[in-house]
Amino acid sequence: SMKKILRHTVLIMLIIAAGAGCTSQDNAPQKKLPTAIVSINGIKLTVELAVTEAQKEKGLMFRNSVPDGTGMLFVYYEDRPLTFWMKNTKVPLSIAFIASDGTIVDIVDMQPYSLAPVPSSRSVRYALEVSQGWFAKHTIKPGDKVDLSDVLTKI
């Protein structure tokens, strides 16, 4: 019947519309963000600056790699407890939670796609994500200082 055909047509259109929503930019990595150089114990790192809520929410999701010597710095404008997770994140990462004076408070390894919350042990100002093992490889540990002077000129 015509009614049945119409119902099927509407159903097919809804399915197509839902599919189109899934293939939108939401599943794509965010475009490379503006960068700054940070330095830890004299080792330089080029970091993308995630400053807006949308940039921080997307973070490194859907990226296929985080090249050695690069990372993403999440910038907050007041000290606060931070919690991260690895939803939609393909690459194993290490995260450093950093106080407003640049002191690394915690370093934690995070597994791809894990929804387990990874909280800072206290209020911090920044979070720095790099490929897993980068901090260990450069013997960077809690208590070390991150030179954020270049970042502060760009935010």
Side-chain angles (χ1 to χ4, degrees):
S1 74
M2 195 62 194
K3 214 173 192 171
K4 204 170 184 181
I5 291 170
L6 195 60
R7 234 192 352 251
H8 274 111
T9 305
V10 168
L11 194 62
I12 288 165
M13 286 170 72
L14 282 171
I15 291 166
I16 291 168
C22 293
T23 58
S24 76
Q25 285 305 98
D26 294 345
N27 287 354
Q30 68 180 326
K31 291 187 173 37
K32 200 162 184 283
L33 300 173
T35 60
I37 305 292
V38 299
S39 171
I40 313 169
N41 303 342
I43 299 145
K44 288 188 177 359
L45 192 60
T46 301
V47 295
E48 290 180 58
L49 300 173
V51 177
T52 68
E53 283 311 305
Q55 290 168 344
K56 289 186 270 205
E57 203 171 288
K58 194 95 177 216
L60 292 168
M61 284 181 180
F62 307 110
R63 298 266 178 113
N64 291 318
S65 69
V66 178
D68 199 40
T70 70
M72 186 171 284
L73 185 72
F74 297 76
V75 178
Y76 296 84
Y77 291 96
E78 73 285 328
D79 294 344
R80 54 188 276 196
L82 297 179
T83 301
F84 279 66
W85 64 349
M86 292 286 282
K87 183 180 179 182
N88 296 326
T89 308
K90 305 175 180 186
V91 185
L93 301 175
S94 297
I95 189 167
F97 292 110
I98 303 166
S100 54
D101 69 352
T103 303
I104 296 174
V105 174
D106 312 287
I107 294 176
V108 185
D109 287 344
M110 302 192 298
Q111 303 317 313
Y113 299 108
S114 172
L115 300 183
V118 177
S120 58
S121 61
R122 64 178 175 87
S123 290
V124 292
R125 186 70 58 98
Y126 308 95
L128 172 59
E129 289 182 343
V130 295
S131 61
Q132 195 173 100
W134 188 88
F135 295 118
K137 187 169 97 180
H138 295 285
T139 60
I140 293 166
K141 56 205 173 315
D144 290 349
K145 282 267 184 146
V146 182
D147 179 350
L148 297 161
S149 53
D150 187 45
V151 171
L152 299 175
T153 67
K154 293 181 173 167
I155 57 173

